Structure formats: C-alpha cells, structure tokens
Amino acid sequence: MASGVKPRVKVPKSAEAGEVVTIKTLISHKMESGQRKDKDGNVIPRSIINRFTCDFNGQNVVDVELFSAISTNPYFEFEATIPEAGDMKFTWYDDDGSVYEESKSIKVG
Amino acid sequence: MKFKALTAAAALLIAMPVMSLAEPDDDHLVINGDLEIVTKTAAPAHMEETGIDTIMSGWHFRADETQQLEMDDFDNPGMIFVDQAIDSWNAVEGSAGKSCASCHDDPSSMEGVRAVYPKWNEAAGEVRTIAMQVNDCRTTRMGAEAWKYDGGDMASMEALISVQSRGMPVNVAIDGPVKAVWDQGKELYYTRTGQLDLSCASCHEQNYGNMIRADHLSQGQINGFPTYRLKNAKLNTVHARFKGCIRDTRAETYKPGSDEFVALELYVASRGNGLSVEGPSVRN
C-alpha cells in the first residue's frame, strides 16, 4: 500500500429535494507516473489511483478512469442533484489493489 | 500615420493588462468564510527608512485562481500536510517513548507560537526558530533523531503549528537580547550577493509589484510560510525559499538552519509585524 494515502470528501450535510450541490473530493496520493527513474537508472514502477467512483444509495453516479499524467493528490469536484436523503459512497482504486472508501450522508429538508 | 497611431494604441492595450497583473490587488482574504486575514496593514515603525508604508502579504500578488485556493481549507493543498503532521504529532518516537502529544497535549496548545517566532530562548542563549525548537524537543526530550531542517516532516509540522495561530498578528520582538541578531539579519537583507549582485531589498523593497522575467515580485513577506507552491506541489519552508532566492542571484547560499538564515528570518519576519499569520498559504 502506498504510504500517506488519505481520502477526504466535502459534502453538505443537508439539501433541499432536487437541489444541486457541489461535492469536492481529494485523495492524498503520490501518483507515481511510471515514467521516472531512480538514481541508478531503474524505472520506478507506476503506482497511481486508476479509478474513482461515486454511488448514491447504491446507484453509480460517477465513474472515472485515471491515467499516469494525473498529478499528485487527485482532486475531483462535481455537482449532483439530490432527489432524496441518502448515502454517498466514494471509492478510489489503487494500482496496488488497495481500495479506499469514504461515505457521507445527506439529509433532505 | 493613422495606422501607426492605431498600432500604438493596440500596443498600449496589450501592455496595460500585463502591467496591472504584476501589481498587488485589493482583494480580501477570508478563510473558510469566517476567518478574516489581515493581508495589508501599516508598516511597523522600524521600516520607516525603507519608504514602504503599507506591508502586504504575498497573497495580493497572486492570480485570482491561486488566491481562491487559500480561501477554503478543503481546496488548500497545504492542509494535506497539516493532516500528516497530526499523525506525527501523536506518533511516539525515540528512546524516551514520547510523542509531541505526551508533553504538549493537543496541537491547539501551540496557539500563538507562530506569531512570535523566531524568538530568544533564554536557557539556550540564542535566537530560535520553530524548526530549531522542534528539533530540540526531538533530540533532548524524545531521544529521537532530528528532522532535516527544511525537509518534508519539518515543513508539515511547521504548518500544523502555524495553523493554530492563523489570523493572529505577527508580533516578533526585535529589541532586547535579539537586537544583535536582528541587526545581522538586516545587514544580510541589504547585502548584495552573487553574479547578479542583488540583495533582498533590490527586488522585494525597491521593485515589488514589478515583474522579474515571468514572475511577480512581492514584498517577500514570510507570514504565509510554510507555503504550498504549485510549482513543486509541496510545502516550502522559509529557509528553503531564502536559499532559492540567493541561488537565483547566482551566489553560493547559506545552509538552511544556519545562523545567517536564522538572523535573516528574524529580520524578514519583523518586516511583517502586523500582518496575520497565514500559513500554510498557497502560492505559485
């Protein structure tokens, strides 16, 4: 597992039904591109977050594939319409097989 | 003739926005919607001879997009390092089996510290920076290894300590036992170095608000340190910045943590007396 990985999410605690809210997510991660070499000239193997998803009440709403040109600590911000109260589940998939999860509840009204 | 006049007018139009970009703006910095930061204020009395009557945080010299990154802690990439420092604050290290938390409890006990450092340490008989104090704690109280003076662990810890004082006015003492060191720092500030023969004052006192090639010259205030720089995607310490500046004059630099840089830090910090502690700030 890559060191110092910590997912974080900013979601409003409550919203009006049908309101569009802004959701911010960030995961601290080195995002080693696989293009760099160490002092001895050996390629440092790629180690990045390769997929990010967001589910609302079990239904997938965002699914992103990431590649090696994405910078360290990838940040995603998106808008979402909140039809009803529920849970948002965020998942990041690491090259090394690790999966990082975070979830937030949104109340309506 | 008419064509020439038009070209001249067009050239003026093109030139003007570039000039205005380099000058400090009048925006207001409020962090998380409720923490007012003083980024412009009257210069302290000791700066009377410099001709600067308003001191300004480097925040004013950055583009709107960069400025915005500092207005919300979620957007501020420096806060990632603050989180990491909380982990090392609580981590037991060294032969004494202690962590920072063993003696200092919560990081909030560091409130006010960033505003008054560098500061005279009576027991040690020297001016100490926060980094020196941290390493003193690590080696003598914890029995752990000292951190690299301008390394990542130290920068993160400085950010955690700085965040506790955010919004408080910088108030570094310049008289009493620190006077000699402060004088040395002032001397260094006005000493030209390197093949380019530049002193700190050449850029940050006489030319702030102008461009130096592609970059904007600020007043060189350090109230926002440690600073997350977009160019290297990490926290930068004051001494690392000093080193970078002196290197850019094409000189051999002093070492981070050296007596010279401690003196210079004290002097430069005192030029920001009255500005709010802002670190970790975001710059480009």
Side-chain angles (χ1 to χ4, degrees):
Chain A
M1 191 177 118
S3 63
V5 180
K6 188 179 167 190
R8 51 186 79 207
V9 175
K10 191 175 184 181
V11 176
K13 286 196 178 66
S14 64
E16 298 299 318
E19 190 185 338
V20 178
V21 298
T22 301
I23 291 166
K24 295 175 174 180
T25 75
L26 186 150
I27 187 162
S28 47
H29 194 283
K30 271 189 81 150
M31 300 292 277
E32 185 61 55
S33 70
Q35 305 287 328
R36 301 198 303 161
K37 288 175 180 168
D38 64 16
K39 274 186 215 133
D40 304 322
N42 304 315
V43 172
I44 305 171
R46 190 183 100 158
S47 171
I48 65 168
I49 297 285
N50 57 41
R51 186 174 170 221
F52 165 72
T53 62
C54 173
D55 295 348
F56 184 69
N57 284 344
Q59 192 198 347
N60 182 259
V61 288
V62 168
D63 193 341
V64 184
E65 259 190 282
L66 286 79
F67 294 92
S68 54
I70 303 209
S71 73
T72 178
N73 306 331
Y75 172 92
F76 286 107
E77 177 180 328
F78 54 93
E79 291 182 339
T81 310
I82 306 297
E84 62 199 24
D87 296 324
M88 289 209 126
K89 192 173 148 219
F90 305 88
T91 317
W92 292 262
Y93 298 83
D94 200 313
D95 267 353
D96 64 14
S98 309
V99 175
Y100 312 100
E101 287 180 353
E102 180 82 4
S103 62
K104 294 273 176 187
S105 306
I106 303 184
K107 288 192 192 111
V108 161
Chain B
M1 274 319 278
K2 199 179 172 190
F3 173 74
K4 264 193 178 164
L6 269 177
T7 325
L12 253 180
L13 274 176
I14 294 163
M16 272 170 61
V18 174
M19 281 165 63
S20 60
L21 259 181
E23 281 169 9
D25 63 15
D26 285 321
D27 295 346
H28 288 282
L29 176 54
V30 180
I31 296 177
N32 297 333
D34 58 7
L35 182 61
E36 291 264 357
I37 301 289
V38 176
T39 52
K40 248 185 210 186
T41 191
H46 71 81
M47 282 175 69
E48 202 176 326
E49 66 209 53
T50 65
I52 295 177
D53 48 17
T54 306
I55 49 173
M56 281 173 270
S57 159
W59 184 81
H60 282 290
F61 297 84
R62 305 284 68 131
D64 286 348
E65 308 85 70
T66 313
Q67 289 183 334
Q68 275 163 19
L69 286 172
E70 209 180 305
M71 296 171 124
D72 181 351
D73 280 348
F74 195 90
D75 294 340
N76 183 341
M79 297 309 285
I80 293 170
F81 300 91
V82 170
D83 272 3
Q84 288 171 3
I86 292 173
D87 293 341
S88 32
W89 179 273
N90 293 317
V92 173
E93 256 188 279
S95 54
K98 284 181 180 175
S99 68
C100 304
S102 310
C103 298
H104 297 291
D105 300 325
D106 196 71
S108 62
S109 62
M110 291 290 127
E111 188 178 336
V113 170
R114 171 65 175 84
V116 295
Y117 268 81
K119 184 179 151 186
W120 182 254
N121 182 309
E122 192 58 55
E126 61 179 359
V127 172
R128 287 241 175 117
T129 60
I130 289 177
M132 289 162 79
Q133 207 65 56
V134 168
N135 266 343
D136 182 57
C137 264
R138 286 183 62 80
T139 51
T140 61
R141 293 205 218 176
M142 292 166 66
E145 267 186 45
W147 276 331
K148 188 180 170 215
Y149 192 92
D150 56 347
D153 289 325
M154 185 62 86
S156 303
M157 185 55 72
E158 284 180 35
L160 175 63
I161 292 169
S162 173
V163 117
Q164 314 303 328
S165 310
R166 219 162 39 164
M168 297 171 75
V170 174
N171 186 19
V172 173
I174 62 169
D175 47 11
V178 304
K179 182 73 168 65
V181 176
W182 185 81
D183 284 339
Q184 185 198 356
K186 186 175 179 182
E187 176 83 30
L188 284 165
Y189 191 88
Y190 289 101
T191 302
R192 288 170 178 269
T193 61
Q195 289 176 318
L196 297 187
D197 205 25
L198 295 169
S199 71
C200 307
S202 310
C203 291
H204 298 292
E205 184 170 300
Q206 290 151 19
N207 279 296
Y208 68 88
N210 290 333
M211 304 290 282
I212 183 160
R213 302 192 70 177
D215 203 2
H216 307 161
L217 284 173
S218 72
Q219 285 185 347
Q221 293 289 354
I222 57 171
N223 61 310
F225 276 84
T227 289
Y228 182 89
R229 296 191 72 189
L230 300 169
K231 70 175 268 187
N232 59 15
K234 64 175 181 122
L235 280 180
N236 296 261
T237 62
V238 175
H239 287 205
R241 182 60 264 190
F242 286 164
K243 190 173 127 189
C245 261
I246 295 179
R247 179 206 57 210
D248 290 349
T249 71
R250 300 187 188 163
E252 290 284 338
T253 80
Y254 303 107
K255 282 197 166 55
S258 62
D259 292 347
E260 288 84 358
F261 274 175
V262 171
L264 186 59
E265 179 177 347
L266 174 64
Y267 177 68
V268 177
S270 77
R271 289 173 72 103
N273 274 354
L275 293 173
S276 294
V277 172
E278 207 185 299
S281 60
V282 186
R283 307 283 187 259
N284 48 340

